[in-house]
């Protein structure tokens, strides 16, 4: 089983070892891996899939705030991670050009999270439970456009999985917090669906991650190498 922490280390190491040098523009030099996929089937490192049945979005937030998932060398720590994940409950743009919660919950004049929930409640086998973030009317003329483009949820064999597609993802600086955010959305969706069911037996099955460009900026390469040198031996020891 693969946790967010384990996937983070594996992905950073993959880019350091196998990534190709690229220039996003004249100001951004990076190492990059194209066409990436991971199935993070144990995001919170609970070890047993059945434990996700009792994992709620509120409990997940409490565990994040406690520092349970903190990793030395990772630029995102408990308080910042907590605030980032909790931000899903704020549908404003939060002072930025865009925010994922705003695009998912309000921007298009529809709460796409609620639509996803209703589609899955109406038909567990639906493949239409989708939320998008890209707005062509605005984003085609903007430099800063959403990195996360699509979320899609499925229920198969009693488990809800959430699938995400990133056009671009800063693996050292953002991937870790992104995956906790998306895990939170998936667990919250599972919770909301179970509230409407007589038996409430849908479990959470993890995150399917896709990115076109996964990269580490040249300014972060030294810190990324320190992260791997500190944790890679322990990662292999535990797997």
């Amino acid at each position: 089983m693969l946790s967010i922490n384990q996937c983070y280390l594996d992905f950073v190491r993959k880019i350091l070892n196998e990534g190709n040098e690229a220039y996003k523009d004249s100001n951004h030099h990076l190492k990059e891996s194209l066409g990436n996929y991971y199935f993070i089937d144990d995001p919170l490192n609970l070890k047993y899939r059945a434990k996700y049945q009792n994992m709620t979005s509120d409990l997940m937030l409490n565990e994040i705030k406690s520092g349970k998932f903190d990793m030395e060398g990772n630029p995102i720590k408990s308080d910042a991670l907590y605030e980032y994940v909790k931000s899903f409950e704020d549908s404003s743009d939060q002072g930025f050009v865009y925010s994922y919660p705003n695009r998912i919950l309000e921007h298009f004049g529809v709460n796409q999270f609620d639509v996803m929930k209703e589609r899955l409640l109406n038909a567990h086998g639906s493949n239409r439970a989708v939320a998008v973030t890209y707005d062509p009317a605005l984003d085609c003329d903007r430099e800063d456009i959403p990195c996360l483009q699509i979320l899609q949820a499925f229920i198969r064999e009693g488990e809800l999985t959430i699938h995400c597609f990133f056009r671009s993802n800063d693996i050292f600086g953002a991937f870790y917090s992104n995956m906790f955010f998306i895990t939170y959305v998936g667990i919250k969706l599972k919770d909301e669906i179970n509230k409407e069911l007589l038996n409430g037996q849908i479990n959470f099955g993890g995150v399917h991650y896709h990115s076109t460009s996964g990269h580490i900026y040249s300014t972060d390469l030294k810190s990324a190498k320190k992260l791997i040198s500190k944790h890679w031996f322990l990662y292999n020891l535990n797997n």
Side-chain angles (χ1 to χ4, degrees):
M1 300 179 77
L2 187 65
S3 70
I4 293 172
N5 290 53
Q6 293 164 335
C7 188
Y8 177 60
L9 292 174
D10 189 79
F11 207 172
V12 169
R13 183 176 179 270
K14 173 186 175 183
I15 293 173
L16 290 175
N17 290 345
E18 304 173 17
N20 296 313
E21 291 193 11
Y23 286 88
K24 185 171 72 172
D25 52 46
S26 59
N27 297 318
H28 296 93
H29 179 214
L30 45 83
K31 289 198 77 171
E32 178 182 58
S33 172
L34 297 181
N36 308 287
Y37 170 75
Y38 284 98
F39 177 30
I40 308 173
D41 57 343
D42 184 16
L44 304 182
N45 201 29
L46 300 185
K47 303 298 185 184
Y48 297 98
R49 188 71 60 83
K51 289 186 176 181
Y52 284 93
Q53 187 69 54
N54 298 318
M55 174 57 68
T56 66
S57 53
D58 287 341
L59 181 57
M60 179 182 167
L61 283 176
N62 290 338
E63 292 195 350
I64 290 173
K65 196 168 188 178
S66 75
K68 178 179 179 179
F69 304 108
D70 286 2
M71 179 187 295
E72 187 175 348
N74 183 336
I76 307 297
K77 296 296 190 293
S78 54
D79 288 344
L81 183 60
Y82 171 81
E83 292 298 331
Y84 179 75
V85 173
K86 187 184 177 185
S87 74
F88 184 70
E89 305 300 334
D90 179 358
S91 63
S92 74
D93 61 17
Q94 302 173 32
F96 299 100
V97 173
Y98 70 87
S99 74
Y100 297 141
N102 175 257
R103 291 292 174 102
I104 294 168
L105 301 175
E106 185 176 293
H107 175 79
F108 295 99
V110 60
N111 186 322
Q112 297 184 85
F113 179 85
D114 284 349
V115 173
M116 292 171 76
K117 179 182 76 173
E118 291 304 318
R119 286 192 183 279
L120 292 172
L121 279 169
N122 290 336
H124 280 7
S126 176
N127 57 10
R128 299 182 177 92
V130 175
V132 300
T133 64
Y134 187 78
D135 182 352
L138 290 177
D139 295 329
C140 65
D141 293 323
R142 287 180 170 176
E143 187 73 17
D144 191 9
I145 65 175
C147 296
L148 171 64
Q149 295 278 296
I150 297 172
L151 289 178
Q152 185 172 9
F154 287 87
I155 296 175
R156 296 291 186 270
E157 298 180 352
E159 289 190 340
L160 184 149
T161 54
I162 192 158
H163 302 240
C164 57
F165 175 80
F166 286 77
R167 64 162 185 87
S168 172
N169 204 190
D170 175 359
I171 303 308
F172 179 72
F175 172 83
Y176 194 75
S177 53
N178 291 154
M179 291 306 98
F180 278 99
F181 179 88
I182 291 168
T183 297
Y184 177 82
V185 174
I187 289 176
K188 184 179 177 69
L189 186 58
K190 179 264 296 182
D191 291 346
E192 293 295 315
I193 289 172
N194 280 338
K195 287 177 184 176
E196 303 289 333
L197 299 176
L198 291 177
N199 296 325
Q201 293 300 312
I202 300 299
N203 199 6
F204 181 64
V207 177
H208 288 262
Y209 167 88
H210 305 259
S211 66
T212 305
S213 168
H215 49 262
I216 299 175
Y217 290 102
S218 59
T219 51
D220 290 328
L221 288 174
K222 185 176 180 180
S223 296
K225 289 174 183 176
K226 285 183 178 179
L227 173 82
I228 295 304
S229 66
K230 184 169 189 63
H231 293 283
W232 191 249
F233 173 76
L234 291 175
Y235 169 77
N236 283 318
L237 193 64
N238 294 323
N239 288 279

